[in-house]
Amino acid sequence: MSSKECVGAAFDAAFAACPLVAILRGLTPDEAPAVGDALVAAGFTLLEVPLNSPDPYASIALLTKRLRGRAMVGAGTVLNIEQVDRVAAAGGNLIVSPNTDAAVIGASVAAGLVSLPGYYTTSEAFAALAAGATALKLFPADAAAPGMLKAQRAVLPREARVLAVGGIAPDTMAPWHAAGADGFGLGSNLYRPGKAADDVAQDAARYVAAVKDIA
């Protein structure tokens, strides 16, 4: 199995175990160990450190080493190919973007990384899939409604995985799941700068319980 196939298989397994991506915007390297441990203990298997966080590459390197074999770690708010390269150099294997950029998607796939680009329109979704996206991130979900995703799912390939991202709370996941969301990206409702690891752990457990209830 090639390195690309290994990463793809690892993502498939991680996503099947827990289809939730923890978006750790504002995380610092000092906070990363405790927050990462809390999330993994709750059942999370996918962690994202947005690149507009303090010293994000250091946090990614630290979490990748610490959580190897337990969770996949990568970057969010990835906007160009240079950033893709820096995430790879830090050991990350997830590339999450707020937009659909074929060059970023292509560079991610070529580097053997998981590509999770943001999209909003059906045209952007198909463009992202054509460029090689591993899965799709409907963003911002809080500016849309489950009915929009339901309509998109009628034409998107059945095997395409879609994560709803933006404003997702444990009690709002069920309508999105019913509309066709395969997973969710969780931001400030799960983690915000300075939030204690114990509090993150409690909220993480609520999300994991909620996604198990709708599976």
Side-chain angles (χ1 to χ4, degrees):
M1 185 179 290
S2 69
S3 59
K4 292 181 184 180
E5 291 172 330
C6 287
V7 170
F11 177 77
D12 291 344
F15 194 80
C18 183
L20 303 174
V21 178
I23 303 170
L24 306 176
R25 192 176 308 279
L27 185 75
T28 66
D30 287 343
E31 296 172 303
V35 171
D37 288 349
L39 289 165
V40 170
F44 275 71
T45 55
L46 299 165
L47 280 62
E48 163 197 339
V49 181
L51 293 184
N52 53 2
S53 303
D55 204 357
Y57 300 104
S59 292
I60 292 167
L62 189 158
L63 287 171
T64 298
K65 182 177 180 179
R66 187 179 187 88
L67 303 178
R68 183 170 288 116
R70 296 189 289 157
M72 298 187 77
V73 178
T77 319
V78 179
L79 303 176
N80 58 58
I81 294 173
E82 178 185 358
Q83 292 172 337
V84 173
D85 292 341
R86 292 191 66 184
V87 173
N93 42 37
L94 299 176
I95 300 295
V96 187
S97 299
N99 61 328
T100 300
D101 186 316
V104 170
I105 296 168
S108 303
V109 173
L113 309 179
V114 171
S115 172
L116 303 176
Y119 86 97
Y120 196 76
T121 69
T122 307
S123 294
E124 290 173 336
F126 277 106
L129 292 172
T134 308
L136 301 172
K137 163 186 164 180
L138 174 58
F139 177 78
D142 47 358
M148 185 179 87
L149 176 58
K150 183 178 180 180
Q152 293 174 339
R153 285 306 252 174
V155 295
L156 288 173
R158 182 171 298 180
E159 67 274 13
R161 289 169 289 194
V162 177
L163 294 83
V165 181
I168 301 297
D171 60 356
T172 64
M173 295 166 72
W176 283 104
H177 177 72
D182 301 292
F184 302 91
L186 312 171
S188 59
N189 288 334
L190 174 65
Y191 171 83
R192 58 185 178 276
K195 186 172 181 177
D198 287 345
D199 294 333
V200 174
Q202 292 178 17
D203 287 336
R206 282 192 281 269
Y207 274 108
V208 171
V211 81
K212 287 181 178 178
D213 284 344
I214 63 175

